[in-house]
Amino acid sequence: MDTLSYKTISVNKETAQKEWVVIDATDQVVGRLCSKVAKLIRGKYKPSFTPHVDCGDNVIIINAAKVVFTGKKETDKLYTRYTGYPGGQRFNTPEQLRKRPNGVDKMIRHAVKGMLPKGRLGRRLIDNLYVFEGTEHNMQAQKPKAIDINQYK
């Protein structure tokens, strides 16, 4: 029994090894990209994954304005929001959201948020996502490494 350890490793906030990664979203399908991003943020690709702890990576998405939808979703899909007033339900298509400031950011965050756990952990995890519409980002100080998202399942 000296060579093997049969203890289950449980990561906590102090021992989690979080990294910074950059993903290029050029010509990526929104849903497929966001499901992989949600797994990265959650930490599911790591061997030390612990379900109740934020042990995932911080993800920076660049070229988010170049994401695509399959089929006719660009014009037919509806995003619903509510102003808080009676009769204040508003609907937008992805085509309309792209024209608004931070519209692409809202589309990607909406998709990723739906794939994260509901509750306190999910609300903390969504803060590990940074979306930039162009190629420039202001996170160089964290020394992120660029990864190819197509290598992940």
Side-chain angles (χ1 to χ4, degrees):
M1 288 290 195
D2 294 333
T3 58
L4 293 175
S5 173
Y6 292 104
K7 293 182 180 178
T8 302
I9 299 169
S10 185
V11 177
N12 60 21
K13 191 166 66 171
E14 290 79 29
T15 60
Q17 295 175 347
K18 297 173 70 71
E19 297 176 350
W20 286 80
V21 295
V22 175
I23 296 173
D24 188 4
T26 304
D27 296 328
Q28 297 285 332
V29 178
V30 174
R32 294 165 199 260
L33 169 75
C34 291
S35 66
K36 295 172 187 176
V37 167
K39 282 185 181 179
L40 276 170
I41 290 173
R42 185 89 198 274
K44 287 230 171 177
Y45 291 117
K46 294 186 176 186
S48 62
F49 170 67
T50 307
H52 63 282
V53 178
D54 176 8
C55 58
D57 297 332
N58 295 303
V59 178
I60 303 165
I61 298 178
I62 58 172
N63 292 323
K66 297 179 183 175
V67 294
V68 294
F69 284 92
T70 57
K72 296 192 290 181
K73 292 187 194 88
E74 187 76 31
T75 55
D76 293 353
K77 182 178 174 65
L78 285 179
Y79 289 100
T80 307
R81 62 188 175 88
Y82 181 60
T83 62
Y85 290 95
Q89 201 172 21
R90 303 287 186 257
F91 303 97
N92 286 313
T93 63
E95 188 178 42
Q96 294 167 337
L97 276 178
R98 285 182 193 273
K99 297 174 185 170
R100 298 179 64 178
N102 295 330
V104 178
D105 183 327
K106 290 176 183 165
M107 279 193 306
I108 291 179
R109 281 186 183 278
H110 182 269
V112 172
K113 186 178 179 184
M115 298 175 193
L116 290 175
K118 311 318 181 247
R120 287 188 291 182
L121 179 63
R123 289 191 293 272
R124 269 199 323 265
L125 289 175
I126 197 68
D127 293 335
N128 295 336
L129 177 65
Y130 302 89
V131 181
F132 297 96
E133 292 188 18
T135 57
E136 300 294 321
H137 63 87
N138 58 2
M139 302 289 171
Q140 283 87 8
Q142 278 71 31
K143 298 185 182 89
K145 67 175 186 176
I147 61 169
D148 182 20
I149 197 68
N150 295 323
Q151 292 178 344
Y152 293 90
K153 284 195 170 192

